[in-house]
Amino acid sequence: MTSPLSPFTVPGSIRFQHCDPAGIAFFARLDELLNAAFEDWCAAAGLPFATMMRTDRHGFPLVHATIDYRRPLLLGDQITITHTVRAVGRSSVTFGVTITSANGVCVEGTHIRVFTSLDTHQSVPLPSPLRDALSSVGPL
């Protein structure tokens, strides 16, 4: 498991599928890119989504987001998506999220995720290995 406390970065590019007819990345597609990078963070932290959801019957949904779209991203732009753990609660993790390009920070915000049971749809404590790895971050 890589340290979930380190800023986690995923490279990418803005593709045709991410853009509106003007060739500018559509905000909903940028949110999908942030979510895909979160799935990668989970895998690197030892919680692959397929196992977490299918076998363990847990989810880690987004329950609150604040996002500022600072600069447009255009078809062909090379990007870096970053998730940084900011705070940890009993069942929640708050992330700082950014998407940067050669022009600087284009998307910046905060995501709060809550670990849940897929059977009861209620929050449950973070798994012990993840909680131990995140123990140096203060509570929400």
Side-chain angles (χ1 to χ4, degrees):
M1 171 189 335
T2 60
S3 171
L5 292 177
S6 301
F8 183 80
T9 60
V10 176
S13 60
I14 299 301
R15 298 173 182 266
F16 178 76
Q17 70 193 32
H18 301 130
C19 296
D20 61 17
I24 299 169
F26 181 57
F27 73 92
R29 299 295 177 243
L30 297 174
D31 291 345
E32 288 174 350
L33 288 168
L34 288 167
N35 191 71
F38 173 72
E39 287 187 39
D40 293 343
W41 178 89
C42 284
L47 291 170
F49 254 51
T51 302
M52 180 173 51
M53 295 180 80
R54 289 180 170 174
T55 305
D56 301 335
R57 301 287 301 146
H58 288 112
F60 215 163
L62 178 65
V63 298
H64 183 76
T66 58
I67 298 290
D68 292 315
Y69 301 94
R70 303 203 179 278
R71 292 185 175 91
L73 286 160
L74 306 175
L75 181 61
D77 282 351
Q78 299 302 302
I79 60 172
T80 301
I81 304 165
T82 303
H83 279 63
T84 305
V85 174
R86 297 271 168 84
V88 179
R90 179 189 76 86
S91 60
S92 65
V93 180
T94 300
F95 294 90
V97 295
T98 60
I99 301 177
T100 57
S101 73
N103 294 323
V105 175
C106 300
V107 176
E108 183 174 41
T110 302
H111 279 182
I112 300 175
R113 301 270 182 169
V114 173
F115 203 72
T116 64
S117 163
L118 292 181
D119 296 323
T120 66
H121 302 290
Q122 299 295 310
S123 67
V124 295
L126 293 168
S128 294
L130 181 60
R131 172 163 295 293
D132 293 346
L134 296 172
S135 65
S136 66
V137 176
L140 293 172

